[in-house]
Amino acid sequence: MKTVRDIADLKDKKVLLRVDFDVPVSDKDEIQESFRIKKQKEVLDYLVSHDAKVIMVAHISDKSVDDSFASLVPQLHLLLGYEINFIKTVLEIGAYLANYAGPALLENIRQNSREKENDPEFAKQLAVGFDIYVNNDFAVSHRNHASVSAVAGLLPSYAGFVVEEEVARLSEVINSPKEGKVIVIGGAKTETKVPVIKNFMGKAGRILIGGVVANDIMKERGTDIGASLADKNSKELLAGLDLASSVLVLPKDFVISENKILDIGQETEKEYADIINNASMIIWNGPMGMFEKLEFAHGTRAIAEAMITSKASKIIGGGDTISAVDSFGLLGKFSAEGGSASGGNFVSTGGGAMLAFLAGEKLPGLEVLGYYEQ
Ligand code: ADP
Ligand code: MG
């Protein structure tokens, strides 16, 4: 996979840069969490300092599809350190490139339904006038969308630093020795988590389970989970998984309210923390309980704290996992600066993309960059 560093000469090159500005926004149009946006600065700095002409393309899914990046541009300016010009439609790109006046952002690409359809004609409109395409949005790379997939077939295409780093760090998790490798899986979207569990059954020392995923597994093992939330298709989802394997570790005790399991209990916290403290590599996705309510956040917090104490290399990912850790004021402890010996810490920008990558699936956005060719 070629990266922006492989581009021989960037001077005056017109670069279409796929970025990740898919952040939560308040009713007052305030960006709620900016770590994905700040991660885009490195590639933007690189391209601008090498005199490339950069137009960014991105989507935002927090707001309705008709919503616009327009009101967010001043905040992007502050976060990225560039005055960002705004281009309303794909059809205005040509005129802007002809009179280039600094980095610009194209309107929410998902306003056009042809984006999600990976429409080749739409991709052509997008690619016209550019010399180079760079994908720096790992989190959308599991999507076969026009600005991720089709457009890369029309231009010389490269990975940006975010994509390069995500792929390197997540590959490290897959390829590191089985002994000492611990996977922590929780959260609610069982269908996206089970493929990861399946892929790591032979590749990890222990897989610690919490959240609704644990409810699903316990239900299939024949445990009474009362009125707890579980996936209605848990039987199909879990087919082929060895539920009796000692690699899988399930909660022993719980916090229960109104006959519902809403968090892991203190015995489980202790057991999971011990395993985490003895690990050399940990990856965590998915809260242990309904952390949005303080009374059910204890288990999730305990995992975050155990990971911080552990000497292991650690990676966290998932929208809710990151917002949980952030709500405890602990996200900074997982940044590279808070890193430990081997490899250090990493917060993945990918939710679904991270899980798909860890499940061993081929991501369309990486495939078009030639990632699977070696
Ligand atoms: P992520 O975004 O980190 O991948 P998910 O989206 O899969 O995580 O799941 C997060 C959601 O799971 C949270 O909203 C949380 O309240 C919910 N959740 C976790 N455990 C339980 C539980 N036992 N019962 C109900 N909801 C739960
Ligand atoms: Mg989520």
Side-chain angles (χ1 to χ4, degrees):
M1 182 171 69
K2 288 193 179 134
T3 75
V4 282
R5 267 186 235 96
D6 297 313
I7 307 170
D9 182 15
L10 274 165
K11 188 161 171 46
D12 295 326
K13 291 280 160 48
K14 294 159 189 148
V15 178
L16 179 65
L17 175 64
R18 215 317 174 173
V19 291
D20 184 359
F21 292 162
D22 189 21
V23 290
V25 175
S26 76
D27 299 344
K28 291 179 184 146
D29 283 1
E30 286 157 346
I31 293 170
Q32 299 293 288
E33 182 215 77
S34 54
F35 109 100
R36 284 167 173 237
I37 295 174
K38 289 183 193 144
K39 281 217 135 187
Q40 297 298 321
K41 186 168 164 56
E42 190 186 358
V43 80
L44 193 57
D45 285 348
Y46 184 88
L47 295 170
V48 169
S49 67
H50 285 79
D51 299 318
K53 297 177 174 172
V54 185
I55 295 186
M56 295 175 278
V57 55
H59 72 278
I60 185 150
S61 53
D62 179 72
K63 309 165 120 193
S64 81
V65 102
D66 293 313
D67 264 355
S68 168
F69 275 126
S71 66
L72 305 180
V73 166
Q75 292 171 78
L76 293 171
H77 172 180
L78 289 175
L79 289 164
L80 294 167
Y82 293 91
E83 197 123 8
I84 308 280
N85 292 296
F86 186 62
I87 302 175
K88 286 203 194 74
T89 83
V90 171
L91 301 171
E92 289 169 26
I93 294 174
Y96 187 82
L97 283 172
N99 286 298
Y100 183 77
L105 171 66
L106 185 64
E107 176 60 290
N108 182 8
I109 195 73
R110 288 195 186 165
Q111 279 192 5
N112 195 315
S113 60
R114 292 183 298 167
E115 161 69 358
K116 284 196 178 183
E117 291 157 8
N118 201 28
D119 183 309
E121 289 305 315
F122 184 57
K124 254 187 226 167
Q125 284 182 359
L126 193 59
V128 159
F130 288 103
D131 302 307
I132 290 166
Y133 169 75
V134 174
N135 180 3
N136 204 43
D137 185 353
F138 176 74
V140 82
S141 295
H142 60 318
R143 302 292 187 203
N144 215 1
H145 292 174
S147 72
V148 183
S149 183
V151 74
L154 303 171
L155 293 168
S157 298
Y158 301 85
F161 299 126
V162 167
V163 168
E164 184 186 20
E165 186 184 27
E166 292 272 0
V167 163
R169 295 307 308 271
L170 297 177
S171 301
E172 218 175 281
V173 177
I174 297 172
N175 300 325
S176 68
K178 177 177 165 175
E179 288 315 309
K181 178 155 61 185
V182 172
I183 316 293
V184 186
I185 293 282
K189 287 186 228 142
T190 303
E191 85 270 17
T192 65
K193 320 273 170 149
V194 174
V196 178
I197 299 174
K198 285 182 180 165
N199 195 34
F200 276 96
M201 281 300 274
K203 295 190 181 79
R206 310 308 286 282
I207 304 177
L208 312 181
I209 312 281
V212 178
V213 185
N215 296 350
D216 283 314
I217 294 178
M218 289 187 294
K219 193 175 97 186
E220 285 315 304
R221 278 182 168 183
T223 311
D224 180 8
I225 59 164
S228 306
L229 192 59
D231 198 295
K232 54 182 183 314
N233 296 320
S234 53
K235 186 166 225 69
E236 291 74 27
L237 292 176
L238 295 169
L241 184 67
D242 177 8
L243 299 179
S245 166
S246 61
V247 173
L248 280 185
V249 187
L250 284 152
K252 289 196 166 53
D253 61 339
F254 308 94
V255 178
I256 295 173
S257 170
E258 292 170 356
N259 203 27
K260 287 184 190 134
I261 297 171
L262 292 169
D263 198 6
I264 57 172
Q266 297 210 347
E267 284 295 308
T268 307
E269 282 180 10
K270 206 185 155 306
E271 185 190 4
Y272 285 13
D274 282 346
I275 295 171
I276 286 169
N277 273 308
N278 289 309
S280 50
M281 162 78 77
I282 315 163
I283 183 156
W284 174 29
N285 165 268
M288 293 293 102
M290 200 192 260
F291 73 95
E292 293 91 340
K293 288 199 174 158
L294 195 61
E295 45 191 318
F296 310 122
H298 204 273
T300 302
R301 191 184 179 111
I303 297 293
E305 284 172 349
M307 281 183 76
I308 291 163
T309 335
S310 173
K311 296 272 186 291
S313 289
K314 36 214 138 157
I315 298 183
I316 61 171
D320 291 286
T321 308
I322 292 170
S323 50
V325 173
D326 197 27
S327 74
F328 306 142
L330 299 174
L331 196 58
K333 305 268 187 193
F334 287 88
S335 66
E337 301 79 60
S340 60
S342 51
N345 303 333
F346 182 61
V347 181
S348 175
T349 56
M354 180 184 87
L355 292 168
F357 190 89
L358 293 173
E361 289 166 27
K362 268 193 181 173
L363 276 52
L366 299 181
E367 195 161 20
V368 291
L369 299 178
Y371 177 70
Y372 299 102
E373 277 159 31
Q374 319 90 346

